[in-house]
Amino acid sequence: NAGVMQNPRHLVRRRGQEARLRCSPMKGHSHVYWYRQLPEEGLKFMVYLQKENIIDESGMPKERFSAEFPKEGPSILRIQQVVRGDSAAYFCASSLTSSEQYFGPGTRLTVT
Amino acid sequence: SQKIEQNSEALNIQEGKTATLTCNYTNYSPAYLQWYRQDPGRGPVFLLLIRENEKEKRKERLKVTFDTTLKQSLFHITASQPADSATYLCAFDMRFGAGTRLTVKP
């Protein structure tokens, strides 16, 4: 049973470009979470989704960031017009119920 | 606002000793708490979940306690090994503590 998959593992974008991060949850998991982690800092919750629905986006910046989890296909975290401050590791996690979460390896975004 | 805090940024102990990590929370009454391990450059790995009606939970060399009066969870690793060196995170819901970096010296 494959774990949570994220791609790309590393992404370099210039300021002003768009970044798209993908997350495929574990088989059978319908809950997906996105987190951001800056170097030497803790995980910051961004958004919680279930299939086709955003359940909690209280940690998502109001502008430039969006997330979706369509009926078919991976969950996508989209960052428009990236700025240097968006450089971070972005982790996706999935769960069967809303309890223990299984994390992917992360996408390391670098904005130049 | 709801807060979850891990008291120590770093903890250094000798191999074979018991490591004890602390997690405190405020302005919240979680139904359960979770502990995760994170190695550098990797995603967190789920270790244990303890519910509010459970005082203690064990898994191999790991033990977690949950005191709803003190609003605190303790995480113990007995007979620690250098391979236990990592950052340990406590969490409730989607809120994570900053983590405690444990180093076990041989």
Side-chain angles (χ1 to χ4, degrees):
Chain A
N1 187 11
V4 177
M5 297 171 67
Q6 289 187 250
N7 67 79
R9 294 292 308 277
H10 299 274
L11 182 61
V12 179
R13 284 286 177 265
R14 291 199 178 122
R15 278 181 298 170
Q17 290 185 320
E18 178 180 288
R20 279 186 176 236
L21 287 62
R22 293 175 187 77
C23 169
S24 296
M26 285 181 69
K27 190 176 180 181
H29 286 192
S30 61
H31 302 252
V32 165
Y33 314 80
W34 285 93
Y35 296 86
R36 176 161 63 178
Q37 188 172 41
L38 293 168
E40 305 302 319
E41 291 192 14
L43 284 166
K44 300 296 183 192
F45 166 74
M46 298 181 76
V47 63
Y48 164 35
L49 310 102
Q50 281 187 272
K51 279 290 184 181
E52 299 185 275
N53 293 307
I54 295 175
I55 306 301
D56 183 345
E57 56 181 350
S58 58
M60 196 89 108
K62 293 287 185 281
E63 297 177 352
R64 302 189 297 109
F65 285 72
S66 63
E68 62 176 9
F69 188 16
K71 190 176 179 181
E72 302 290 339
S75 174
I76 306 284
L77 178 68
R78 184 178 173 209
I79 311 172
Q80 295 178 291
Q81 299 176 322
V82 295
V83 301
R84 287 226 171 97
D86 296 332
S87 296
Y90 291 83
F91 289 98
C92 163
S94 73
S95 66
L96 189 60
T97 60
S98 54
S99 56
E100 64 259 33
Q101 298 175 31
Y102 295 86
F103 282 80
T107 293
R108 275 141 192 88
L109 173 66
T110 302
V111 180
T112 62
Chain B
S1 62
Q2 297 165 353
K3 282 187 179 179
I4 184 164
E5 292 177 329
Q6 294 186 245
N7 291 7
S8 302
E9 278 192 20
L11 179 65
N12 298 316
I13 63 167
Q14 208 65 36
E15 183 176 8
K17 300 291 185 186
T18 295
T20 298
L21 286 63
T22 305
C23 177
N24 295 291
Y25 58 92
T26 53
N27 298 325
Y28 194 66
S29 297
Y32 56 86
L33 268 166
Q34 304 174 60
W35 284 87
Y36 292 78
R37 167 182 174 144
Q38 187 174 25
D39 291 284
R42 293 176 170 264
V45 174
F46 171 75
L47 295 175
L48 281 166
L49 179 151
I50 184 164
R51 301 188 186 279
E52 60 179 341
N53 60 349
E54 297 175 313
K55 294 293 183 192
E56 181 181 297
K57 201 145 188 191
R58 292 175 186 260
K59 178 182 174 184
E60 297 172 353
R61 294 183 296 110
L62 309 180
K63 184 177 86 171
V64 172
T65 62
F66 191 2
D67 189 324
T68 54
T69 302
L70 292 178
K71 294 186 180 292
Q72 181 180 81
S73 175
L74 298 179
F75 177 81
H76 307 271
I77 306 175
T78 57
S80 60
Q81 305 166 0
D84 294 327
S85 298
T87 296
Y88 291 87
L89 309 168
C90 69
F92 64 78
D93 287 344
M94 285 83 72
R95 290 173 181 79
F96 280 76
T100 296
R101 186 169 59 250
L102 173 68
T103 303
V104 181
K105 299 184 177 179

